[in-house]
């Protein structure tokens, strides 16, 4: 039932957006205004509480508990595990926004700062770190840990509705659970389509820069079609081959590109940006986490922070399910630090390098990043390359990186959508993955037809609200089941200790002369 209804809803949404983009845009814009006006603060508060809760899990009394039980062993190596986390969680977004977001914040800065000023540049990097740092990965980690724990430690089905069992009992198997799973699948499909839309736009812009191909909707649809063939081929090969191999290769390729830009660009400036922005990020972390603009009525927070939090929340069932699938055998502390801290540091290095090079080009290097921004976010990165040696080579590597990130993200998505829309645990059949592969390609294409980036951002912010509320229940339920498991393990340890003490006492009694 979940599969049929959610697939029908996603396809219907794609058809409406594609054939009636005007009315669709009007409706989603009105919904967005209502969400921001009445619930924008809720996104900020829930995400901040999620980060605090994850810190408690990593360093609190549950840190030593292990996914799958005390004797469980990890299925993947640490490097392969982190590679898959990174590729599924943020791959395309890092490339798309790496140079574009800091430049955008420089031109249109937060907090009423003067455009193009040094203060705006510092705020640009600080907020970029904020949007791509600990908070989004905490959202992923919460859903991933909850799904993994209920599936591997409590015999669950790997469905979102299972996470509510501590709160609503067996009703998670009835219509309430079905409704939750349908909402999860639809929100996930929209979130994935948003990211694939970003990737499509930038792949198209890069091919125009490198190969002189035309841009526009026709090229974007062709890119989606070609990538559909590739990611379905990868999906057919399974997690142990397609996603794992491509994710590992792409992490290495991303590292090479990162190192190349750091060495070919303003190296000293980039390292200074990294340390300065990292310190400023931690210094203003709580302030940025809870900042709205009730007095100035600025839309900056809604346009950026709330959109990002909604984006991450809508992705959380997908990324969380995928993280759960590959995280068997990890302790709670290892899981939280591996999912939250390590990818955040990698993201900080990425934005310091690409964002730092772009800001240097705009403010000190004689480039025109602001002019490139006016042509579209997707063009900023390739314009930044124009000021570096080997610009064409860097652009070609970036296109390859984007294509593989597209494949791994979509491959992971069809796997997880297949899992979430089934009724039993285990990898879904290829036919179900194929159906979801078609669906996310259709909705990405329809959103681009309906208005490109603006339509994608509007839809994702609205669709994520139900899941923002669900995250509160997930935290409460996870706290309960981890507490029960911790008490059980302590009881087992006490029984084992008593048994050993009794055995030693009996052995001494049997000794001669005792």
């Amino acid at each position: 039932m979940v599969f049929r209804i959610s697939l029908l809803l996603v396809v219907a949404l794609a058809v409406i957006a594609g054939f009636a983009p005007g009315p669709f845009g009007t409706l989603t814009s009105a919904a967005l205004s209502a969400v921001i006006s009445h619930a924008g603060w809720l996104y900020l508060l829930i995400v901040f509480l999620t980060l605090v809760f994850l810190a408690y899990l990593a360093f609190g009394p549950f840190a030593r508990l292990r996914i799958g039980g005390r004797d469980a062993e990890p299925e993947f190596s640490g490097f392969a595990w982190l590679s898959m986390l990174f590729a599924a969680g943020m791959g395309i977004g890092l490339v798309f926004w790496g140079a574009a977001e800091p430049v955008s914040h420089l031109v249109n800065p937060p907090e009423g700062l003067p455009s193009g000023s040094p203060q705006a540049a510092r705020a640009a990097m600080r907020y970029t770190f904020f949007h791509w740092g600990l908070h989004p990965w905490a959202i992923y980690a919460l859903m991933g840990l909850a799904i993994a724990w209920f599936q591997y430690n409590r015999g669950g089905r790997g469905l979102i509705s299972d996470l509510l069992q501590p709160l609503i009992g067996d009703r998670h198997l009835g219509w309430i659970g079905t409704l939750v799973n349908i909402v999860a699948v639809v929100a996930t499909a929209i979130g994935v389509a948003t990211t694939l839309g970003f990737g499509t736009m930038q792949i198209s812009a890069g091919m125009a820069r490198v190969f002189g191909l035309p841009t526009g909707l026709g090229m974007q649809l062709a890119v989606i079609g070609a990538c559909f063939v590739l990611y379905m081929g990868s999906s057919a090969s399974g997690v142990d081959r397609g996603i794992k191999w491509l994710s590992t290769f792409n992490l290495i390729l991303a590292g090479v590109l990162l190192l190349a830009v750091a060495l070919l660009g303003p190296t000293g400036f980039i390292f200074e940006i990294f340390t300065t922005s990292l310190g400023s990020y931690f210094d203003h972390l709580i302030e940025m986490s809870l900042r709205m603009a009730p007095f100035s009525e600025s839309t900056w927070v809604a346009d950026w922070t709330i959109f990002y939090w909604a984006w991450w929340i809508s992705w959380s069932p997908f990324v969380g399910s995928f993280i759960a699938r590959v995280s068997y055998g990890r302790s709670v502390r290892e899981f939280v630090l591996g999912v939250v801290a390590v990818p955040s540091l990698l993201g900080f290095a990425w934005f310091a390098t690409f964002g730092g090079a772009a800001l240097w080009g705009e403010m000190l290097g004689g480039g025109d990043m602001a002019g490139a921004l006016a042509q579209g976010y997707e063009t900023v990165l390739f314009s930044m390359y124009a000021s570096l040696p080997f610009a064409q080579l860097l652009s070609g590597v970036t296109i390859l990186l984007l294509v593989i990130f597209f494949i791994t993200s979509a491959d992971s998505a069809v796997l997880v959508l297949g899992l979430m829309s089934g009724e039993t645990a285990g990898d879904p059949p290829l036919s179900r993955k194929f159906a979801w592969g078609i669906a996310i390609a259709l909705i990405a294409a329809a959103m681009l037809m309906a208005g490109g980036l603006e339509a994608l951002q509007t839809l994702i912010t609205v669709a994520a609200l139900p899941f923002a509320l669900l995250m509160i229940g997930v935290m409460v339920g996870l706290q309960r089941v981890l507490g029960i498991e911790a008490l059980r393990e302590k009881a087992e340890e006490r029984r084992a200790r008593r048994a050993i003490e009794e055995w030693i006492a009996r052995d001494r009694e049997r000794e001669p002369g005792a």
Side-chain angles (χ1 to χ4, degrees):
M1 179 183 294
V2 174
F3 171 68
R4 292 191 297 271
I5 295 177
S6 54
L7 183 63
L8 180 63
L9 288 174
V10 168
V11 172
L13 183 66
V15 171
I16 294 171
F19 288 97
F24 179 81
T26 301
L27 179 63
T28 54
S29 296
L32 176 64
S33 298
V35 168
I36 297 301
S37 299
H38 301 290
W41 61 271
L42 191 62
Y43 284 106
L44 301 186
L45 185 59
I46 290 174
V47 173
F48 180 66
L49 290 176
T50 300
L51 180 60
V52 173
F53 180 69
L54 265 292
Y56 162 71
L57 293 185
F59 301 103
F62 309 140
R64 294 174 56 193
L65 300 179
R66 189 169 293 276
I67 298 170
R70 184 180 298 179
D71 300 323
E73 295 291 336
E75 181 180 359
F76 300 99
S77 69
F79 184 79
W81 181 53
L82 290 173
S83 299
M84 288 188 282
L85 298 183
F86 206 65
M90 299 193 168
I92 289 176
L94 285 174
V95 182
F96 186 91
W97 294 108
E101 182 172 344
V103 172
S104 179
H105 297 340
L106 176 71
V107 175
N108 300 295
E111 303 176 4
L113 297 171
S115 177
S117 65
Q119 298 93 329
R122 285 191 288 269
M125 291 307 303
R126 183 173 75 245
Y127 273 94
T128 301
F129 276 30
F130 172 57
H131 291 151
W132 294 84
L134 299 174
H135 291 72
W137 286 106
I139 296 169
Y140 292 163
L142 172 66
M143 296 302 295
L145 180 59
I147 293 169
W149 193 266
F150 278 88
Q151 182 173 354
Y152 295 126
N153 295 73
R154 296 174 64 88
R157 301 163 295 170
L159 302 179
I160 302 299
S161 59
D162 291 347
L163 311 186
L164 299 179
Q165 188 273 332
L167 303 179
I168 64 175
D170 291 341
R171 283 177 291 178
H172 78 287
L173 299 173
W175 70 268
I176 296 177
T178 300
L179 180 61
V180 168
N181 291 329
I182 290 171
V183 172
V185 171
V186 173
T188 298
I190 294 171
V192 171
T194 301
T195 299
L196 299 186
F198 289 151
T200 299
M201 293 166 67
Q202 196 165 38
I203 291 170
S204 176
M207 294 178 68
R209 176 64 65 96
V210 176
F211 303 111
L213 296 176
T215 59
L217 182 61
M219 176 57 68
Q220 291 171 357
L221 295 179
V223 168
I224 290 176
C227 289
F228 167 77
V229 175
L230 295 173
Y231 69 68
M232 287 310 305
S234 174
S235 182
S237 67
V239 176
D240 293 334
R241 299 178 63 188
I243 298 177
K244 177 183 175 182
W245 293 348
L246 285 173
S247 297
T248 301
F249 173 75
N250 226 26
L251 188 62
I252 294 172
L253 186 63
V256 170
L257 184 62
L258 178 72
L259 185 62
V261 173
L263 294 178
L264 296 173
T267 306
F269 183 84
I270 287 172
F271 279 99
E272 290 178 5
I273 283 280
F274 178 78
T275 57
T276 301
S277 301
L278 192 61
S280 180
Y281 166 71
F282 285 112
D283 190 39
H284 293 81
L285 185 63
I286 296 178
E287 175 190 349
M288 292 187 295
S289 298
L290 301 174
R291 176 181 176 266
M292 292 290 288
F295 301 109
S296 66
E297 297 186 351
S298 169
T299 63
W300 193 94
V301 174
D303 294 340
W304 287 99
T305 304
I306 294 177
F307 160 66
Y308 269 129
W309 284 188
W311 189 13
W312 306 136
I313 290 170
S314 69
W315 259 59
S316 64
F318 152 50
V319 180
S321 296
F322 183 76
I323 291 174
R325 170 65 179 80
V326 299
S327 297
Y328 181 85
R330 308 284 172 182
S331 70
V332 170
R333 175 174 293 163
E334 182 184 10
F335 180 93
V336 172
L337 294 180
V339 176
V340 178
V342 175
S344 294
L345 288 174
L346 292 174
F348 295 155
W350 183 274
F351 280 101
T353 300
F354 288 85
L359 292 181
W360 181 88
E362 173 66 21
M363 302 179 71
L364 303 171
D368 186 16
M369 298 298 102
L373 181 69
Q375 299 176 24
Y377 292 107
E378 65 273 14
T379 66
V380 176
L381 178 62
F382 298 106
S383 297
M384 184 269 286
Y385 286 154
S387 63
L388 302 179
F390 310 110
Q392 289 292 95
L393 178 60
L394 293 174
S395 297
V397 172
T398 299
I399 294 172
L400 177 61
L401 189 68
L402 281 165
V403 169
I404 301 178
F405 270 141
F406 193 120
I407 294 169
T408 54
S409 294
D411 187 351
S412 306
V414 297
L415 169 66
V416 171
L417 287 168
L419 289 169
M420 291 168 56
S421 58
E423 296 296 331
T424 58
D427 287 350
L430 183 60
S431 59
R432 195 187 306 159
K433 292 195 289 185
F434 189 79
W436 282 118
I438 295 175
I440 60 175
L442 282 177
I443 196 168
M447 290 300 98
L448 290 172
M449 294 169 64
L453 190 62
E454 183 177 351
L456 294 169
Q457 289 179 312
T458 300
L459 187 60
I460 201 63
T461 306
V462 175
L465 182 58
F467 253 89
L469 300 173
L470 178 67
M471 287 170 60
I472 299 174
V474 171
M475 284 187 272
V476 175
L478 187 58
Q479 163 72 23
R480 289 183 182 179
V481 297
L482 291 178
I484 293 171
E485 181 67 15
L487 291 174
R488 188 188 66 79
E489 287 199 3
K490 286 182 180 178
E492 287 184 355
E493 291 174 358
R494 286 195 297 268
R495 286 194 295 269
R497 192 180 305 114
R498 283 197 300 268
I500 293 173
E501 291 172 351
E502 291 172 359
W503 181 83
I504 293 174
R506 288 194 301 269
D507 188 63
R508 286 176 177 171
E509 291 175 357
R510 289 194 296 268
E511 292 180 358

